[in-house]
Amino acid sequence: MARKQAILLLCIAALSMSHSWVERLMVFHTDGAMVGAPGYARGTVSRLDPSFNDFQMQHLLPQSSESGITPTDRICKATQTIGNYTAEFPSLQAWPGAFIALQYQENGHVTLPQLTPQKKDSGTVYIYGTSSPSDEDTLASIHRVWNEHGTGGDGRGRLLVSRRFDDGQRYQINEGPISKERQNRYHKVAMDPQGADLWCQNDLRLPLDVRRRYSLYWVWDWPTAPSDALPEGKAEIYTSCVDVDIVSDIEQGKMSFVDGQDLNLAGIKEQLVDKE
Ligand SMILES: *[C@@H]1O[C@H](CO)[C@@H](O)[C@H](O)[C@H]1NC(C)=O
């Protein structure tokens, strides 16, 4: 029993150090199921690489808690420069107005909230889009500055959507009550690359006026709530930077979501309907 508990604690400690990034992007068919080849974030490194560790993909801001977020902090990780793709992890191929998903793992931030009592919840994801990205783009000039109308800040891009980090379904397999409840309610057959887990997703529709390449900045804003010890609270932000290749003209218009699909591939209805 003691040994089992020690192992459980070790697992929890490992989980609590892991943070999320965009693992995969997919395009939706008009029935709301993912189809075609996956795309990835810039500079993606294989999890199967023997030397892989989370810090190759994770981009945390501020970099140190003393400094806070500075005006020069880049929104993208240094390895996530524009167009940094490989044949193994290519960019997503889509079209103007395509419905797409950005998928990520929850790492216990949703199903084991007791690991992070200093957080009110699992936070919010903001997804910004631009046709004219720059490797110099800073977090402070974009996050909570670019707006839905494209008139914020320098006007080079816009806020496409903001979504709860917890999409209401996703889970990783663990013994916590939230995970167990969701394993029942959102049951699926284990399938790679998710395995038995159900990844989280942010679904959105690309704008209609995009050409050639469209870049997305995925910003997970997960602040520590103000407390006696930390009256101002504390910023904690993770980002992933993504390019989408716009390879054809508009292929389809309307989403007619079909309920009851295989959850390995299904989108989230509330995030997909009424978006045309
Ligand atoms: C591209 O990404 C790879 C993998 O993350 C990284 O090793 C490399 O330094 C990156 N190159 C550039 C120019 O950013």
Side-chain angles (χ1 to χ4, degrees), residues 42-45 56-57 77-82 84-86:
R42 296 172 184 167
T44 289
V45 178
Q56 289 172 287
M57 291 307 297
K77 189 172 177 62
T79 55
Q80 294 186 7
T81 48
I82 300 167
N84 188 12
Y85 280 94
T86 57

Side-chain angles (χ1 to χ4, degrees), residues 8-273:
L8 185 70
L9 274 176
L10 267 178
C11 294
I12 288 178
L15 261 180
S16 67
M17 290 185 309
S18 224
H19 295 294
S20 306
W21 60 86
V22 173
E23 302 270 347
R24 181 173 84 161
L25 292 97
M26 295 292 283
V27 169
F28 287 106
H29 184 68
T30 47
D31 62 2
M34 299 173 191
V35 287
Y40 298 90
R42 296 172 184 167
T44 289
V45 178
S46 174
R47 280 183 176 274
L48 305 176
D49 190 305
S51 66
F52 178 81
N53 69 69
D54 285 9
F55 298 105
Q56 289 172 287
M57 291 307 297
Q58 172 181 312
H59 185 46
L60 165 65
L61 292 169
Q63 282 157 341
S64 81
S65 43
E66 294 79 52
S67 66
I69 287 163
T70 72
T72 54
D73 279 333
R74 298 263 170 92
I75 195 166
C76 299
K77 189 172 177 62
T79 55
Q80 294 186 7
T81 48
I82 300 167
N84 188 12
Y85 280 94
T86 57
E88 190 183 4
F89 295 105
S91 53
L92 185 72
Q93 316 270 295
W95 52 88
F99 293 90
I100 65 167
L102 287 78
Q103 295 181 281
Y104 49 101
Q105 303 196 28
E106 59 112 348
N107 297 318
H109 301 311
V110 171
T111 54
L112 295 170
Q114 65 274 25
L115 295 182
T116 48
Q118 75 281 21
K119 306 285 183 179
K120 266 207 330 259
D121 55 32
S122 54
T124 306
V125 173
Y126 298 79
I127 300 172
Y128 301 93
T130 177
S131 294
S132 32
S134 161
D135 285 333
E136 320 289 311
D137 276 343
T138 61
L139 184 80
S141 67
I142 293 172
H143 182 41
R144 298 179 186 277
V145 177
W146 286 2
N147 61 29
E148 288 184 331
H149 308 291
T151 55
D154 62 12
R156 257 186 311 118
R158 46 189 272 214
L159 172 65
L160 297 175
V161 288
S162 61
R163 304 257 187 241
R164 307 302 303 160
F165 180 84
D166 178 8
D167 61 28
Q169 302 188 1
R170 41 84 73 74
Y171 52 82
Q172 282 182 344
I173 302 293
N174 58 52
E175 292 298 306
I178 300 175
S179 174
K180 288 191 131 163
E181 197 263 331
R182 291 191 182 188
Q183 288 173 47
N184 273 325
R185 187 176 332 182
Y186 301 108
H187 183 71
K188 60 160 214 154
V189 175
M191 189 203 226
D192 280 343
Q194 303 177 54
D197 296 341
L198 180 59
W199 284 358
C200 334
Q201 57 186 295
N202 306 133
D203 301 341
L204 63 102
R205 190 175 192 195
L206 292 177
L208 292 168
D209 59 352
V210 296
R211 302 278 173 275
R212 281 183 34 239
R213 182 179 60 211
Y214 195 62
S215 300
L216 304 175
Y217 298 143
W218 180 90
V219 178
W220 170 29
D221 198 330
W222 192 40
T224 296
S227 63
D228 288 346
L230 270 176
E232 312 268 289
K234 195 166 99 172
E236 185 172 350
I237 290 176
Y238 297 86
T239 74
S240 287
C241 293
V242 173
D243 299 318
V244 177
D245 285 336
I246 307 299
V247 292
S248 61
D249 286 340
I250 300 175
E251 288 188 8
Q252 59 197 28
K254 221 168 146 55
M255 172 64 64
S256 325
F257 193 94
V258 175
D259 289 310
Q261 308 198 43
D262 177 358
L263 289 175
N264 284 295
L265 295 171
I268 295 186
K269 189 174 185 178
E270 301 71 57
Q271 297 191 14
L272 284 171
V273 292

